[in-house]
Amino acid sequence: MQSPVRHHYDVVIVGGAMLGSSVAWFLTDHADFNGKILVVERDPTYEFASTSHTNSCMRQQFSNPLNIQMSQFAADFVKNFRRYMGGEERIPDPVLQSYGYMYLADTPAFAATLRDGQAIQAANGAGTRHMSVEEIAEAYPFYHLDDILAGNHNLVDEGYFDGNTLFDWWKRIARERGAEYIHNTVVALDRQGDEITGVTLATGETIGCGTIVNASGPCANVTSEMAGITIPVAPRKRYTYIFQAEQPLDRDLPLTIDPTGVHMRTEGSYYLAGCPPDEDPDVAFDDFVEDHSLWENKVWPVLAHRVPQFERIKLINSWVGHYAYNKFDQNAILGPDPEVRNFIFANGFSGHGFQQSPAVGRGLAEFIATGDYQTLDLRPFHVDRIEQGVKFAEKAVI
């Protein structure tokens, strides 16, 4: 483990993966911030971080305008990454593979929900189409659609992107600009009344801080409880499978959300599928044990039913990742704690973290640097909604 260089930092970020590095980079890029940043990461290999197990998907098919706007900024950020990062030739231009999400509805109620969602998305500039079964079959003849009534699909700025490129460069440029990353673990927080005054590390040091950012992913509640705060975030297992088809499809497979909850999409020359387990309990942050029966009993039968060409497939790889699952309303928990004002949340993304990381990093950097949001107003995500019992209204949760 590493000890920090300084005894006090203006901002201490607990967790240096996607969200922590986004906040760090956007802070270094904000004209009104010139403070010192410490990023504390307990596993610098990121082997078990949600960042390393993500499927890097991006969608605008939400029912809440704020979620749509966050993804629209993320799409623009990815497509113009080099410009946002300063325009240097060494910075890559990642590609946003816009083959879109295809939501399939098998009941009249679900079809109506998709129709309502499309209207909201279109009103906010998204390119979503509400499609009849005939329209789906014409565009994607490989689907089995006898049990489907309608679908929603968007080919504009929706699909897959290489999120790890963003993560790598946020971390690299933040460090070049003076943000200090250390391999260590926060084991205690010193709370004096309505503020956190210090952070104790596993190596024994207590470091003073002006602001602390909880970006500790599935361990979010562990970090919060050190400050005497409880949030409803816990690790939940999510399964991913890479498979090869004996008879590949003749066009890209959109990220298809089957009514069963299984999803599938093109992954280079292979295909990717995923799902939650049938029983979805909280798990330990280091529990990545796979239930191997899930593939045979749930995932493969759904794939073969929805795409008959997937009756003959070969499983290439599989893994378990963790959602930082917000059990209250499955949406992000952001902003300052109502009682501990210098404790900032960046937690509970429930699978939306990669696609929301540009907007969250930008927004929290604005809030820390100026005391308010300057672009998107992220206050509907603030943690005080939980105590008030007011859920963030979002129907399109996967």
Side-chain angles (χ1 to χ4, degrees):
M1 288 192 174
Q2 301 164 293
S3 296
V5 173
R6 302 175 182 276
H7 299 293
H8 185 278
Y9 293 83
D10 298 280
V11 177
V12 175
I13 301 173
V14 184
M18 191 70 168
L19 271 300
S21 290
S22 175
V23 174
W25 180 82
F26 274 99
L27 274 172
T28 67
D29 202 54
H30 199 288
D32 293 327
F33 182 82
N34 59 2
K36 301 299 182 182
I37 302 169
L38 177 68
V39 182
V40 183
E41 172 53 51
R42 63 184 177 86
D43 176 18
T45 70
Y46 301 98
E47 180 181 3
F48 298 112
S50 295
T51 294
S52 301
H53 296 97
T54 182
N55 294 339
S56 286
C57 301
M58 184 183 297
R59 63 183 164 110
Q60 295 183 31
Q61 291 191 60
F62 290 97
S63 67
N64 191 295
L66 184 51
N67 273 336
I68 297 168
Q69 292 160 11
M70 292 172 77
S71 288
Q72 288 170 334
F73 172 64
D76 186 69
F77 194 90
V78 171
K79 293 191 299 181
N80 297 282
F81 184 63
R82 179 178 293 169
R83 174 173 61 80
Y84 276 106
M85 297 296 292
E88 298 180 61
E89 288 296 321
R90 62 178 175 143
I91 296 173
D93 281 320
V95 175
L96 175 56
Q97 301 282 1
S98 294
Y99 43 61
Y101 278 58
M102 174 70 80
Y103 280 83
L104 298 174
D106 61 347
T107 66
F110 191 8
T113 296
L114 290 184
R115 188 180 301 108
D116 293 343
Q118 188 275 337
I120 295 169
Q121 293 150 25
N124 285 273
T128 311
R129 295 176 58 205
H130 185 69
M131 303 175 70
S132 68
V133 170
E134 292 75 20
E135 289 171 326
I136 298 170
E138 182 178 0
Y140 299 102
F142 47 71
Y143 287 128
H144 173 78
L145 298 170
D146 286 357
D147 55 345
I148 297 300
L149 300 179
N152 275 8
H153 189 216
N154 179 11
L155 286 170
V156 181
D157 293 344
E158 183 172 275
Y160 163 83
F161 70 108
D162 181 7
N164 279 301
T165 294
L166 275 65
F167 166 51
D168 290 341
W169 282 92
W170 278 338
K171 181 174 63 174
R172 182 183 304 191
I173 301 298
R175 294 177 71 172
E176 290 178 5
R177 292 175 174 176
E180 183 181 343
Y181 278 67
I182 61 169
H183 171 205
N184 215 312
T185 302
V186 173
V187 296
L189 301 177
D190 185 5
R191 175 178 171 178
Q192 302 294 327
D194 63 353
E195 68 175 349
I196 303 299
T197 59
V199 174
T200 300
L201 302 175
T203 45
E205 301 91 345
T206 297
I207 306 301
C209 67
T211 297
I212 183 166
V213 178
N214 182 357
S216 49
C219 295
N221 196 42
V222 174
T223 302
S224 296
E225 287 184 341
M226 295 178 194
I229 305 164
T230 299
I231 56 173
V233 176
R236 294 271 180 102
K237 289 183 180 180
R238 292 296 180 267
Y239 288 75
T240 299
Y241 304 92
I242 304 296
F243 64 94
Q244 184 179 37
E246 182 177 314
Q247 184 182 358
L249 306 178
D250 65 353
R251 65 201 73 187
D252 283 333
L253 172 66
L255 200 156
T256 304
I257 311 298
D258 191 80
T260 61
V262 173
H263 63 267
M264 63 191 93
R265 67 165 166 86
T266 292
E267 175 74 3
S269 59
Y270 297 109
Y271 299 93
L272 177 149
C275 68
D278 291 329
E279 296 183 7
D280 194 19
D282 299 348
V283 298
F285 74 90
D286 58 352
D287 178 2
F288 293 92
V289 176
E290 289 191 57
D291 176 0
H292 294 287
S293 70
L294 199 61
W295 169 258
E296 290 290 339
N297 296 336
K298 179 179 181 178
V299 179
W300 179 80
V302 171
L303 300 179
H305 171 74
R306 187 60 57 211
V307 181
Q309 285 177 236
F310 288 166
E311 289 183 358
R312 296 185 300 279
I313 57 178
K314 177 182 179 181
L315 183 62
I316 302 298
N317 193 15
S318 64
W319 64 84
V320 170
H322 285 164
Y323 272 11
Y325 191 83
N326 174 5
K327 296 183 282 185
F328 180 67
D329 61 14
Q330 293 82 62
N331 278 273
I333 299 172
L334 304 178
D337 184 77
E339 295 182 1
V340 188
R341 301 299 296 180
N342 69 335
F343 189 98
I344 305 293
F345 295 93
N347 305 116
F349 291 91
S350 306
H352 305 150
F354 252 47
Q355 64 188 298
Q356 293 188 330
S357 58
V360 170
R362 179 183 66 172
L364 293 185
E366 293 168 353
F367 193 90
I368 293 167
T370 71
D372 204 355
Y373 298 109
Q374 299 166 321
T375 48
L376 288 177
D377 184 355
L378 301 181
R379 279 175 290 191
F381 289 112
H382 278 195
V383 68
D384 54 7
R385 78 181 190 273
I386 297 173
E387 184 175 342
Q388 296 165 3
V390 179
K391 294 186 177 182
F392 184 90
E394 176 56 66
K395 296 179 181 179
V397 173
I398 300 174

